Amino acid sequence: MAALTREDGARGQKKGRRGCEHYDRGCLLKAQQTCEECSTLFGEYYCSICHLFDKDKKQYHCENCGICRIGPKEDFFHCLKCNLCLAMNLQGKHKCIENVSRQNCPICLEDIHTSRVVAHVLPCGHLLHRTCYEEMLKEGYRCPLCMHSALDMSRYWRQLDDEVAQTPMPSEYQNMTVDILCNDCNGRSTVQFHILGMKCNICESYNTAQAGGCRISLDQQ
């Protein structure tokens, strides 16, 4: 083995050295930010745990995550239950799901925990890549996993109230009721059928799904 190492070193000298002149192929390397002999800087950022070399992006090593993340560190905190570093403005203001960061993004199916793309926490607690979340809003407003509203829809629900009030149903449908399941509060209720949407009696959300057949009141029959 020693002979092979000497031969490799000799071949390396014939071909010319690569990188720092103090490096000999086959020698024992110690990972560090600069060369001990010539002080050449190998990376503006260096993590002695991950052995990561990179340009300065305000990185920091999170012991709980087990990896380096793009900072600055003071803008993030580690949620022990979610097992992920999140923006400080979410501290105490997000729904925790244990180890939710170990799941893949439901939009792109790529890993969230080790991604360089910032994670976006939905009101339901599920995570998406921020870029995937922004693309999702172009097509819909519901979490792809649980169908809960992905943002505050209260203003839109009030607009829908006005549209429903201004759009009466034909006489044969005016006394028709239907059972619904609310995706936001998970409550069940019986409401008047309307083609524009059916409002939850519990939380007043229109993010509902029909849970049974339509019924017409006895006085209508």
Side-chain angles (χ1 to χ4, degrees), residues 138-157:
K138 297 177 182 179
E139 304 293 335
Y141 65 91
R142 294 183 289 196
C143 171
L145 292 177
C146 66
M147 304 302 287
H148 191 284
S149 295
L151 67 165
D152 183 7
M153 297 290 292
S154 56
R155 180 178 297 181
Y156 178 71
W157 298 153

Side-chain angles (χ1 to χ4, degrees), residues 195-210:
I195 192 66
L196 294 180
M198 290 164 286
K199 180 179 178 180
C200 174
N201 284 337
I202 303 172
C203 69
E204 299 187 339
S205 167
Y206 279 92
N207 181 12
T208 60
Q210 187 171 331

Side-chain angles (χ1 to χ4, degrees), residues 28-170:
L28 179 63
L29 296 181
K30 180 174 69 174
Q32 56 189 38
Q33 192 169 10
T34 58
C35 174
E36 292 181 349
E37 295 293 334
C38 66
S39 300
T40 296
L41 185 68
F42 301 133
E44 295 174 344
Y45 172 80
Y46 169 66
C47 175
S48 60
I49 301 174
C50 298
H51 299 304
L52 171 68
F53 297 86
D54 202 355
K55 294 181 179 179
D56 183 15
K57 302 172 186 174
K58 307 299 182 183
Q59 300 95 324
Y60 66 97
H61 181 86
C62 175
E63 293 183 1
N64 292 307
C65 285
I67 58 175
C68 291
R69 296 200 177 279
I70 296 176
K73 184 177 182 179
E74 56 269 19
D75 290 348
F76 295 88
F77 75 101
H78 184 88
C79 177
L80 293 174
K81 188 170 183 179
C82 295
N83 201 8
L84 183 70
C85 287
L86 300 173
M88 288 296 296
N89 59 5
L90 292 174
Q91 192 167 18
K93 299 178 181 178
H94 71 283
K95 181 178 180 180
C96 292
I97 297 179
E98 191 167 359
N99 286 326
V100 68
S101 70
R102 304 301 183 178
Q103 301 174 3
N104 290 339
C105 172
I107 300 294
C108 67
L109 303 180
E110 295 291 335
D111 181 54
I112 290 180
H113 186 77
T114 59
S115 176
R116 290 192 175 189
V117 180
V118 175
H120 181 84
V121 185
L122 300 180
C124 57
H126 292 123
L127 298 182
L128 284 74
H129 292 121
R130 174 58 65 89
T131 51
C132 294
Y133 169 75
E134 293 171 351
E135 287 297 315
M136 182 196 74
L137 291 182
K138 297 177 182 179
E139 304 293 335
Y141 65 91
R142 294 183 289 196
C143 171
L145 292 177
C146 66
M147 304 302 287
H148 191 284
S149 295
L151 67 165
D152 183 7
M153 297 290 292
S154 56
R155 180 178 297 181
Y156 178 71
W157 298 153
R158 303 296 75 81
Q159 293 177 356
L160 200 50
D161 279 341
D162 295 336
E163 293 181 19
V164 169
Q166 296 171 13
T167 312
M169 294 292 289

